[in-house]
Amino acid sequence: MLSAESAAVVRATLPAVGGAINDITPIFYRKMFTAHPELLRDLFNRGNQANGAQGRALAGSIATFAVALLEHPDTRPEQLLERIAHKHASLGITAEQYGIVHRHLFAAIAEVLGDAVTPEVAAAWDEVYWLMAGALIALEARLYAESGVADGDVWRPWRVVGRVEETPDVATFMLRPADRGPTPPFRPGQYVSVQVELPDGARQIRQYSLSCAPGGSDHWISVKRVAGDPEGEVSNWLHANVREGDILRVSAPFGDVALDEGDCPLLLASAGIGATPIISMMAHLAATATTRPVTVVHGDRSPLTHPFRGELELLSEKIPQAVTHVWYEEPGEGWPAERTGLVDLGGVEILDGTRAYLCGPVPFMRSVRTRLLDLGVPADRIHYEIFSPDEGL
């Protein structure tokens, strides 16, 4: 809980800090990476740094946490904290690194706001920062303990035991522990981090949803080659270089968006490569002979770009109460007109008590979430996984 004195100062200065946060974050990162270049080289996503996505996500998380402290002083934004903690744990973040962030973030705040940062203002925002950092450190310690690893020690060598080309731009890598240790459990919807050494010596890390059912000896990740300018550094490297027999450095599984084990109806909605956590959920539901009503919605460019198209059909047949709806923007001949174009939930029955899981581009998830809210699905029953820094829906 934020002290009364600090709450008054934060409330008064929040507009100024919030208005300047997009000026503060690039200065913060510049200062931190100048002092610790290894963090940009081996920890932070260089692509997200280049396009500003990481800075916007950081700004959003700080602002959200500060507002939550003011509006709900007796609680804390658990969903926000859980999401960040899982992401941090998958990277092996440790408590000591919060001190590094604090030092350079507050130096950037002072540089941007100048004389407005009085000792009282600095102390109040310092309290906000350490309340958030302390909560994250505790959550991450819990996640490490649940995974059976020391704080930050999440990495193991995994051997590629198979590779499947799902589409021209999506490949599935089947992984097995190379150290012959046990395969860690995971929940459908969770992800792992993969760290690769690129030609310039950087050890870049990316997260990939697990695309298999839990309980086996292997973990599968399905990676879409990211085109554009810049291209996805890690995804393109994996596609070009990794074959059966190669070794990858992979983290323990983490992720706050995981399939619940209840009996309520499910809506599993995805678009593009967002199908990866959804196909894991489907595989689990089929393997456990679920009797839950399951509505599956997927949108893609065309049948050729649809990953797991065949698997989706087979798994849907194994789930007695599964109904599948697929939209293609470029379907080819014979595809029904009502399923051509973008996903439209207008003709999809959403059962009472539905719990929804969404994954795909942010505009797709925002559209689906808005429709569900309009239909009366409570916000706390709509879960989403996002494959970029989380700037919110």
Side-chain angles (χ1 to χ4, degrees):
M1 179 185 296
L2 194 62
S3 68
E5 296 81 3
S6 291
V9 173
V10 170
R11 191 180 301 277
T13 57
L14 184 58
V17 174
I21 199 72
N22 287 324
D23 296 321
I24 292 167
T25 50
I27 295 173
F28 153 65
Y29 281 120
R30 187 185 72 237
K31 288 178 177 294
M32 184 170 68
F33 293 148
T34 298
H36 298 275
E38 73 281 0
L39 294 179
L40 179 59
R41 185 186 66 235
D42 299 337
L43 181 62
F44 282 80
N45 182 319
R46 297 192 295 193
N48 289 336
Q49 286 298 314
N51 64 26
Q54 185 63 58
R56 292 191 297 272
L58 173 67
S61 66
I62 294 172
T64 299
F65 187 78
V67 170
L69 290 178
L70 297 176
E71 294 184 350
H72 308 284
D74 296 328
T75 61
R76 64 185 192 180
E78 294 293 346
Q79 185 177 10
L80 170 73
L81 295 170
E82 285 280 348
R83 175 153 295 202
I84 297 172
H86 276 272
K87 194 71 73 175
H88 283 182
S90 78
L91 298 169
I93 297 295
T94 59
E96 293 76 13
Q97 290 169 312
Y98 284 91
I100 296 173
V101 170
H102 175 268
R103 180 164 60 254
H104 297 290
L105 178 60
F106 276 71
I109 292 173
E111 180 173 326
V112 171
L113 298 181
D115 293 341
V117 185
T118 65
E120 293 76 18
V121 170
W125 281 96
D126 192 72
E127 188 174 337
V128 171
Y129 176 85
W130 283 114
L131 281 172
M132 187 172 182
L136 290 171
I137 290 168
L139 288 172
E140 289 152 22
R142 187 203 76 204
L143 292 173
Y144 292 137
E146 291 173 352
S147 296
V149 300
D151 288 5
D153 187 20
V154 298
W155 302 101
R156 290 172 63 190
W158 289 66
R159 187 178 305 279
V160 179
V161 296
R163 171 173 168 157
V164 176
E165 307 302 320
E166 306 286 355
T167 74
D169 288 322
V170 177
T172 291
F173 300 92
M174 302 171 180
L175 310 173
R176 188 172 299 164
D179 57 11
R180 301 184 182 276
T183 301
F186 71 93
R187 296 174 61 197
Q190 292 192 303
Y191 53 80
V192 294
S193 290
V194 177
Q195 185 183 64
V196 302
E197 184 171 350
L198 298 172
D200 65 356
R203 296 179 178 272
Q204 283 284 285
I205 302 170
R206 300 293 185 271
Q207 285 83 30
Y208 297 106
S209 294
L210 291 158
S211 55
C212 55
S217 60
D218 300 344
H219 284 173
W220 299 1
I221 57 170
S222 300
V223 180
K224 181 177 181 179
R225 179 171 29 217
V226 178
D229 184 18
E231 294 181 335
E233 286 189 297
V234 175
S235 66
N236 280 271
W237 188 91
L238 290 169
H239 272 260
N241 295 284
V242 177
R243 300 292 184 271
E244 187 172 336
D246 290 335
I247 302 294
L248 290 174
R249 197 165 184 245
V250 181
S251 77
F254 295 99
D256 64 307
V257 179
L259 185 67
D260 75 291
E261 296 295 339
D263 57 5
C264 66
L266 293 171
L267 172 68
L268 308 179
S270 60
I273 195 59
T276 47
I278 300 304
I279 206 68
S280 175
M281 294 179 185
M282 289 288 289
H284 173 71
L285 292 167
T288 55
T290 187
T291 58
R292 303 172 73 170
V294 180
T295 301
V296 184
V297 168
H298 181 77
D300 226 301
R301 180 73 64 186
S302 74
L304 292 178
T305 63
H306 181 176
F308 321 117
R309 184 185 180 201
E311 287 85 347
L312 178 59
E313 293 178 0
L314 290 172
L315 292 170
S316 296
E317 291 174 358
K318 293 180 179 180
I319 299 173
Q321 295 197 69
V323 179
T324 302
H325 307 273
V326 177
W327 280 258
Y328 294 126
E329 295 178 54
E330 302 168 2
E333 296 182 5
W335 191 255
E338 65 270 19
R339 293 288 182 266
T340 297
L342 301 178
V343 168
D344 179 6
L345 293 187
V348 176
E349 183 181 11
I350 305 300
L351 300 175
D352 289 343
T354 287
R355 186 174 294 276
Y357 294 87
L358 322 178
C359 190
V362 169
F364 160 79
M365 292 195 291
R366 185 177 289 120
S367 172
V368 172
R369 183 175 185 271
T370 299
R371 174 64 177 169
L372 293 174
L373 292 172
D374 290 344
L375 291 172
V377 179
D380 63 0
R381 297 182 70 85
I382 305 172
H383 312 277
Y384 69 92
E385 184 59 85
I386 189 166
F387 288 166
S388 60
D390 188 356
E391 299 176 49
L393 295 188

